[in-house]
Amino acid sequence: DSSRAAERDSAAFGAPAGRDLFLTEICESPSALLGTARTLGEQADKFERVRTLLGGRRLVLTGMGSSSDAVTALASVLGRRGVEANTIHTAELLHYRMNALAPDSAVVAVSQSGESIEAVRMAAELRKKEGVPLVAVTNGPQSPLAEEAAVSIDLGAGDERGPSSKTYVSTMLAMHVLAEVLTGGESVASILSS
């Protein structure tokens, strides 16, 4: 019976008895958002570096799955504010578009785990392109992607074992902060306190 299998799988990952893991993590979204807001607020120095590092560069935003959706939203906000940013799926960037990156490009890579093979391989290839900085946004601050980045922004959303839910809303908060940092004249401290 599929419902018993789902219940057994959910219990194995720590979900309350009778509750699906996906629903459990959806219900954890408010506390994950608070954790992300707190964690982002503790990274003002990193956001200052991002502002300096990315200012005036051609932005390439990349992610896979829901992370791709998040960078598309960031590109939309940046575009409305007069900042051009291209979105390229991470696998596409890795396999077909690395040569399109110019010395004045910068890459913002979003990955929930920071461990997806495409993101890790893309970061390794990007390292070979001198002068093209990588900014990572991930829920895995010790992940291979985070370690390859010039600046790594930690989501601090907590562990996620099921399909992306609470980390997605936390990623969207981080995308909002990045948009403010990249387009606003306010101090990073002021942005992070609001």
Side-chain angles (χ1 to χ4, degrees):
D1 175 67
S2 64
S3 64
R4 285 188 185 172
E7 189 173 312
R8 187 174 51 252
D9 290 346
S10 293
F13 285 106
R19 184 185 286 171
D20 178 73
L21 175 64
F22 188 34
L23 177 59
T24 298
E25 290 185 337
I26 290 169
C27 292
E28 292 171 353
S29 293
S31 62
L33 272 172
L34 290 173
T36 296
R38 185 173 38 259
T39 300
L40 295 177
E42 296 167 353
Q43 298 176 80
D45 58 326
K46 290 183 178 184
F47 282 106
E48 288 288 0
R49 288 182 55 213
V50 166
R51 181 180 269 171
T52 301
L53 194 62
L54 300 185
R57 289 184 173 269
R58 294 181 347 162
L59 299 180
V60 174
L61 311 176
T62 189
M64 294 179 53
S66 62
S67 296
S68 179
D69 295 336
V71 298
T72 300
L74 174 59
S76 178
V77 172
L78 292 174
R80 285 194 308 271
R81 295 179 182 182
V83 175
E84 184 179 353
N86 294 303
T87 58
I88 305 173
H89 191 275
T90 306
E92 173 83 9
L93 179 58
L94 170 64
H95 295 295
Y96 305 109
R97 307 277 287 282
M98 291 299 283
N99 288 335
L101 297 175
D104 66 338
S105 298
V107 175
V108 176
V110 178
S111 171
Q112 189 282 130
S113 68
E115 296 178 354
S116 66
I117 192 65
E118 295 87 354
V120 172
R121 287 183 56 205
M122 180 272 306
E125 287 297 314
L126 192 57
R127 186 177 349 111
K128 299 174 187 176
K129 296 187 80 63
E130 293 183 32
V132 179
L134 170 64
V135 172
V137 179
T138 179
N139 198 42
Q142 307 302 320
S143 68
L145 180 63
E147 290 177 4
E148 284 285 339
V151 180
S152 176
I153 303 298
D154 176 24
L155 293 175
D159 290 338
E160 183 150 61
R161 296 170 302 271
S164 180
S165 56
K166 67 182 178 181
T167 54
Y168 181 71
V169 295
S170 292
T171 300
M172 293 305 292
L173 178 57
M175 296 299 96
H176 168 74
V177 171
L178 275 175
E180 293 297 318
V181 165
L182 295 174
T183 62
E186 290 184 69
S187 71
V188 170
S190 175
I191 292 167
L192 292 173
S193 67
S194 63

